[in-house]
Amino acid sequence: MRAVLTALTAWGVLAGSGVAAGATSDDTLRLGRAVRLAPGVQYREFDVVVARGTAHGHLLTVDLTDPRVAVDLLYPGAVGARAPVSRLADARAAVAAVNGDFFNITETQHPGVEATGAPVGPAIASGRHLKAAVPDGQRFGPALPPGTNTRDVIGVGVDRRARLDRLSLRGAALTADGALPLKGLNQYALPVNGIGAFTSRWGPTSRVRATCGTDTDRAAPCSTETYEVTVRHGRVTSVAQVPGRGGIARGTATLVGREEGARQLRKLHVGDRVRIGHDLVGHRPAPLRFAVGGFPIVRHDRPLDGLDTVTPAVRTSAGAGAGGRTLYLLALDGAPGRAGMTVRELADLMDRLGARDAVNLDGGGSSALVTRAPGSPGATVRNHPSGGAERPVPNAVGVFSRG
């Protein structure tokens, strides 16, 4: 009888988590015991058998119906900056966190140009719109599946529901001669012929990288036609032929233009009046209070077509289930001997766990999942980062719980 009850209990755990019935011996998911980290937040480990061996992973399940629970973007105080996930979690006393978006990690294609560390996609923290998405051809990470782009995000709305969305920049610089549309906000790459705005949230990192590459080729040379205009309290205070670096004060915005955008900015002079406005607009009615960039891999209970089925790697994912009332956060383990997963395998796994929609976040050496024990002064890294230690990253998904 005890053996029967044990078997039924194990089956119930798998079925309740959304794991598909009829799993075969070469496609088996084994979930460990769920541990309550805080009200509405559970952690567990798992093993999943793939063609190359057994992948080991770490899973957070967040109950967004619990009023004591909140989810927000963690970042190091500036868009163009990086820090380990554990440090980001400690700074905000998060009970758990996983790494977020892909980012501008290197600039080997442009010698002498500083890598910004800034993320690829849009970002919203505590309702504040931090940045917009770079052009598709300027992104880092695996190939995008058909129908997706860099504007795709996963987030939690003011309605406390997790969901996928697509955030587009809407903004302009209003001058005496008319409106100059904004094609960028605090992002490491601007569209060809575009104008982008940089605010105090960008940080002191150089803005030169914003004018390098093209919409389809990240490695293309930097533009030879650039211009920068600084606007403070509605008036132009300085101009420059090339983008600069250094912190931008509150109440100040710096406009950077390339090609036609630069030619338009050259019409402005010190003392001219300029009003700058911008917003990130989604496709859903409830505004997002938190959002992080990532490309969709599961949509409407179905893995997307065109996902990579060849390249295994350590991966991180976030997904929404139960009508957006449950958020799943997952990171694979990078310890030696552990198998990686292809993007398609990751999508299948998230689908089995119960995620109706899910995105692929940054992986490899960036994958990190941390938790904080009650009363502990610091977060504990639960997985083994594949590089041997945590990699500094631009943002993370932070989970908070009162009580």
Side-chain angles (χ1 to χ4, degrees):
M1 178 63 72
R2 180 175 297 174
V4 171
L5 290 175
T6 299
L8 288 173
T9 299
W11 181 89
V13 169
L14 293 175
S17 66
V19 179
T24 61
S25 60
D26 63 348
D27 184 19
T28 302
L29 174 63
R30 297 184 295 274
L31 292 172
R33 181 176 62 88
V35 177
R36 181 181 182 270
L37 295 179
V41 185
Q42 288 189 337
Y43 163 77
R44 72 199 324 159
E45 296 182 53
F46 65 87
D47 288 302
V48 59
V49 178
V50 293
R52 296 156 301 283
T54 300
H56 185 68
H58 306 260
L59 175 67
L60 294 168
T61 305
V62 184
D63 180 7
L64 296 176
T65 66
D66 192 320
R68 295 166 292 183
V69 171
V71 179
D72 202 3
L73 189 75
L74 306 178
Y75 70 108
V79 171
R82 298 192 292 156
V85 174
S86 59
R87 190 185 306 169
L88 295 175
D90 289 346
R92 294 273 306 274
V95 300
V98 298
N99 65 286
D101 200 357
F102 295 88
F103 60 97
N104 176 210
I105 190 171
T106 181
E107 273 309 316
T108 55
Q109 307 97 334
H110 306 108
V113 175
E114 177 183 354
T116 66
V120 167
I124 298 176
S126 301
R128 298 186 300 270
H129 295 184
L130 301 182
K131 69 174 299 290
V134 303
D136 288 353
Q138 291 269 17
R139 65 182 295 275
F140 290 78
L144 290 171
T148 68
N149 61 50
T150 55
R151 291 176 284 126
D152 288 316
V153 299
I154 190 167
V156 177
V158 296
D159 58 357
R160 297 182 56 81
R161 300 286 184 91
R163 69 173 193 260
L164 301 186
D165 207 338
R166 182 169 288 180
L167 297 177
S168 301
L169 177 64
R170 180 177 61 191
L174 303 180
T175 74
D177 294 328
L180 301 177
L182 293 182
K183 300 298 183 181
L185 172 65
N186 290 332
Q187 55 199 61
Y188 68 79
L190 293 173
V192 172
N193 294 314
I195 296 172
F198 291 82
T199 71
S200 60
R201 291 171 180 154
W202 171 253
T205 305
S206 170
R207 299 177 289 276
V208 170
R209 176 59 185 82
T211 59
C212 298
T214 67
D215 300 358
T216 57
D217 183 3
R218 192 179 72 211
C222 298
S223 176
T224 58
E225 190 171 10
T226 64
Y227 205 68
E228 181 173 274
V229 172
T230 299
V231 179
R232 181 166 176 79
H233 299 313
R235 286 191 181 275
V236 175
T237 58
S238 65
V239 297
Q241 296 295 324
V242 296
R245 62 167 297 129
I248 300 171
R250 292 180 180 273
T252 302
T254 297
L255 300 174
V256 174
R258 55 179 299 177
E259 296 88 37
E260 179 59 26
R263 292 189 285 273
Q264 293 298 322
L265 289 181
R266 284 198 186 93
K267 298 176 182 179
L268 297 175
H269 304 90
V270 173
D272 286 354
R273 289 188 177 275
V274 179
R275 286 195 300 140
I276 300 171
H278 45 75
D279 196 13
L280 294 176
V281 181
H283 290 187
R284 306 284 288 275
L288 290 171
R289 187 179 181 276
F290 141 75
V292 65
F295 65 85
I297 57 175
V298 179
R299 185 176 279 140
H300 306 314
D301 287 323
R302 181 178 178 274
L304 271 64
D305 294 330
L307 298 176
D308 177 78
T309 61
V310 176
T311 309
V314 179
R315 301 195 184 277
T316 305
S317 182
R325 298 175 181 88
T326 302
L327 179 69
Y328 300 96
L329 301 173
L330 177 153
L332 296 184
D333 206 287
R338 298 292 191 183
M341 300 183 75
T342 67
V343 178
R344 175 58 195 236
E345 289 169 339
L346 180 68
D348 289 337
L349 174 61
M350 292 299 287
D351 184 47
R352 293 176 66 189
L353 289 171
R356 185 173 187 268
D357 302 292
V359 299
N360 184 49
L361 299 173
D362 194 7
S366 297
S367 283
L369 185 149
V370 307
T371 64
R372 178 192 301 275
S376 173
T380 298
V381 183
R382 291 288 189 167
N383 68 327
H384 295 84
S386 62
E390 284 186 272
R391 172 187 287 169
V393 295
N395 55 33
V397 182
V399 181
F400 304 85
S401 180
R402 304 186 309 274

